[in-house]
Amino acid sequence: REGGYTIALFRGPTAVRRAWTLGVRAMQDYRVYCARPSVRQWMLENHVELLAQLREGGRRLHLYDATRETIGDAAQVGANRESNNNELSVFDAQTLLGTVARTNMWLGNVLVHIQSTGSTQDVLKTDLRPLGSGLVVVADSQSKGRGRRGHQWTSPDGCLTFSLSCDLPLDKTDKLLFVQYLVSLALVQTMEGLRPSLRGHLRIKWPNDVLFKSRKLAGVLCEGIVESPTIYLAVGTGINLANDEPSISLRSILGTVGSEPELSREEFLCGFLQRFEVMFDRFRVDGFDPFMPEYIEAWLHSEQNVVLRDSGQRVRIVGLSSSGCLKAIGSRHEEIELS
């Protein structure tokens, strides 16, 4: 079933007979939400072939815009919703559409919700790549989530998994490595902004993890594809909102550091997209320098002493180099770049 096949169990009139109907792919539902009627019309006029290919490939599309369903408020939906252990409530994409439409955001103009998929990154880079920047894909669960260097990222119930698309000009390739740092910083600032009791408790582990007391709370994966004159970026993120396995959840942390209510997927994602869009727009123009002080304040490596595996030399980490690697000072006060 997880592989996308339909399995049917039949009972005969006189004996139990099991017939497994393998070989027929089950249809996968893509719920495509457009923040404005104009965006929906743009999709229908400019991406007819893509929509047809998705249907032929076993994707059943449901296309919505802000005029076809009630728009709510993300924070209010999160506050009013009751949770049950790690179980995920039905994802309410309309709460995000309301914010995107009201604030004229480009990020989240098109939001795709999938109940189950292999990887939201793969959906962005294959099925939906022609839709370009500003797309957000949210999955209730994914079976092939991955992190940096191919490490597996598990996505149990209670985990928010999503990917977004953005782009950089080809002449800005020197900024590429810093995108994951920007995302990590946006994650920390979103959590602290929505729940002030978290301030000072979250730390960024270079290059792409968010920790609480050495336990991983969130991870980031950035993948780029050159599409002249730009680099298409698929940015994947997983956050343990309500699942304490395999590490720790934001729900548990909030119960430890204060008495604020937990964050729903809608409230967190809405807050993150708003914050990251502003940060990324500035990053495209000014690079990472304006964000460096905040990043260094949030990470856990300042003045950290480490021993280099190859040479056994002890060095002290002092920041990031201009290329995005760790910058360290050796025993002879020489500057060393670590990757």
Side-chain angles (χ1 to χ4, degrees), residues 29 79 303 313 320:
D29 288 309
E303 301 302 316
Q313 182 183 4
L320 292 175

Side-chain angles (χ1 to χ4, degrees), residues 126-270:
T126 55
D127 286 357
L128 304 178
R129 183 170 159 190
L131 295 180
S133 294
L135 182 67
V136 178
V137 178
V138 182
D140 292 343
S141 66
Q142 56 179 11
S143 58
K144 298 178 181 177
R146 61 185 181 275
R148 185 169 173 259
R149 296 178 177 173
H151 294 162
Q152 183 180 7
W153 173 267
T154 58
S155 304
D157 287 345
C159 181
L160 168 62
T161 54
F162 69 94
S163 293
L164 62 87
S165 61
C166 51
D167 63 75
L168 282 174
L170 275 178
D171 61 357
K172 305 290 186 181
T173 54
D174 58 319
K175 297 181 179 179
L176 198 56
L177 195 59
F178 289 93
V179 174
Q180 60 187 329
Y181 309 153
L182 192 72
V183 178
S184 300
L185 180 60
L187 288 172
V188 170
Q189 291 185 344
T190 298
M191 287 185 263
E192 292 180 343
L194 293 173
R195 297 294 184 268
S197 63
L198 294 170
R199 290 174 183 166
H201 294 286
L202 306 178
R203 287 290 179 263
I204 297 171
K205 179 185 177 184
W206 185 87
N208 56 359
D209 290 337
V210 176
L211 307 183
F212 173 77
K213 294 183 178 179
S214 77
R215 301 174 72 178
K216 185 171 179 177
L217 177 64
V220 178
L221 175 66
C222 295
E223 298 175 300
I225 301 172
V226 175
E227 293 182 336
S228 185
T230 64
I231 303 173
Y232 175 87
L233 297 174
V235 179
T237 303
I239 308 104
N240 299 331
L241 289 183
N243 55 296
D244 286 316
E245 297 296 335
S247 181
I248 193 170
S249 71
L250 191 60
R251 174 197 287 173
S252 295
I253 297 171
L254 285 169
T256 300
V257 301
S259 58
E260 293 181 291
E262 65 183 87
L263 278 168
S264 69
R265 291 187 294 171
E266 294 89 349
E267 185 180 1
F268 179 86
L269 187 55
C270 183

